[in-house]
Amino acid sequence: SEGIMAGVDVVSGDRAEFFLVGKPLKDVAKAEDLAGPGELVVSPSVYEYLQKSNLASKLVFTHVEGDFQRVSWPGHPAVVDMLARFKDRGEEIPGNFPDAQSLIDELVQNMHTTSTQCPLEVSESSSCNSSPPSFPMESHDLQLDVMRLLECHRHEAARDVVGKFTTELRRVVVLFVSIMYEPGLPRDPDEDAELLRNFQTIFSIISESVSSRSGQVRQFINDDKGTVFIASFGLRGSVVLHPSDRAVEAAKEAQQKLLDTMDIPCSIGITLGKIFCGETGSFERYEYSLLGPSVNLSARLMAKGAWGQIYCDEELRNHTSSRRHSFASGGMHKLKGYEKPVSFFV
């Protein structure tokens, strides 16, 4: 897929999230869903572009659904064959990646040079062991600001283990919030401010409800599933008494504040279970992940839930104080990934 997209940065307290917004995200998700193993499916906008390109006469297009097209290139290796070739190369990934400090120094230098047209004197041979470059006072302040901003985008559970990959199994409460807010990108740039303001308000409301109860933000995204906020209780730096009660309280408060402040409803799924938590990826690109059946179930309950409802699994209900919260059986749901219907509570 292709098209116009926007990058959005939102901040609340010491936690920030950057995400993309735009129709291409929804189109590429649909194309992926329509593509079978080894197939390439393109969105209508990509199909239109390819039709006008020099490759049009060499490609074969097959209608799939709507204006989405399956693409093949006769005489050339299939996608699965090309992937196999890369897999069989056995090339080693170089291990000497730039350290975070040198990347920050480079970023600060570029920003300072652009704004003042006065290049900084930075050693070309910057390394982990070399002493930090001497910046003018204004550049030093800029460097600290950049470092603080970057640190805000790091998950709290990973901030005290910089330079290492840490993984563990923990019993964690996971909370998925689906917000009824799916804006299109405005044609008039003057309207961008309203879009940013709404995303910022949504992020602040839910983040404050979660963090005030010692919960942590996992992710805030806008994609083919809409606007979704993910949080947790019980990770490193977030171990508290009665995490299930705190999660339910945070969910109730966030739901009510979104309605009162923005007239926006949401549906919420909350589960409790043992999950994998830690960094996943490579040194070039990694993120703090939460993986496990209870995480998947929380997302499924959120998706099944009606606007204004909070759905919980049996495990969370059993570990929540009946004096503070009351639950009603919601029946059974047939959910993706589960052979038998799953019971849930409202």
Side-chain angles (χ1 to χ4, degrees), residues 203-259:
F203 184 73
S204 295
I205 287 174
I206 307 178
S207 292
E208 290 167 7
S209 298
V210 169
S211 61
S212 64
R213 294 172 174 81
S214 299
Q216 295 173 337
V217 178
R218 161 63 184 91
Q219 195 173 36
F220 184 55
I221 53 176
N222 179 272
D223 57 14
D224 60 300
K225 297 177 180 61
T227 302
V228 177
F229 186 104
I230 308 171
S232 64
F233 292 78
L235 291 177
R236 183 194 303 270
S238 176
V239 178
V240 294
L241 291 174
H242 314 300
S244 298
D245 290 278
R246 290 172 181 253
V248 173
E249 290 165 5
K252 288 181 176 179
E253 181 180 281
Q255 189 177 71
Q256 191 61 51
K257 284 187 174 181
L258 282 174
L259 271 177

Side-chain angles (χ1 to χ4, degrees), residues 16 23 29 63 66 93 121 123 129 174 184 207 213 218 224 234-235 258-259 264 269 300 302-304 339:
K23 189 173 181 295
H63 177 263
I93 300 175
E121 295 181 1
S123 171
N129 299 321
V174 179
S207 292
R213 294 172 174 81
R218 161 63 184 91
D224 60 300
L235 291 177
L258 282 174
L259 271 177
I264 292 178
R300 300 280 188 267
M302 173 200 71
K304 280 288 186 179
E339 293 183 1

Side-chain angles (χ1 to χ4, degrees), residues 253-285:
E253 181 180 281
Q255 189 177 71
Q256 191 61 51
K257 284 187 174 181
L258 282 174
L259 271 177
D260 294 343
T261 306
M262 306 183 70
D263 195 27
I264 292 178
C266 63
S267 64
I268 302 175
I270 315 177
T271 58
L272 169 64
K274 181 175 286 189
I275 65 172
F276 165 94
C277 41
E279 293 92 342
T280 56
S282 68
F283 282 103
E284 289 182 309
R285 176 70 172 87

Side-chain angles (χ1 to χ4, degrees), residues 271 293-305 311-313 331-344:
T271 58
S294 63
V295 179
N296 299 335
L297 180 56
S298 181
R300 300 280 188 267
L301 292 177
M302 173 200 71
K304 280 288 186 179
Y311 285 4
C312 307
D313 69 342
M332 309 282 282
H333 265 326
K334 184 69 178 73
L335 301 175
K336 181 180 178 181
Y338 293 84
E339 293 183 1
K340 298 180 180 180
V342 178
S343 59
F344 70 99

Side-chain angles (χ1 to χ4, degrees), residues 129-145:
N129 299 321
S130 62
S131 59
S134 57
F135 294 103
M137 180 55 72
E138 61 270 22
S139 297
H140 179 69
D141 294 340
L142 177 59
Q143 183 190 36
L144 292 177
D145 288 342

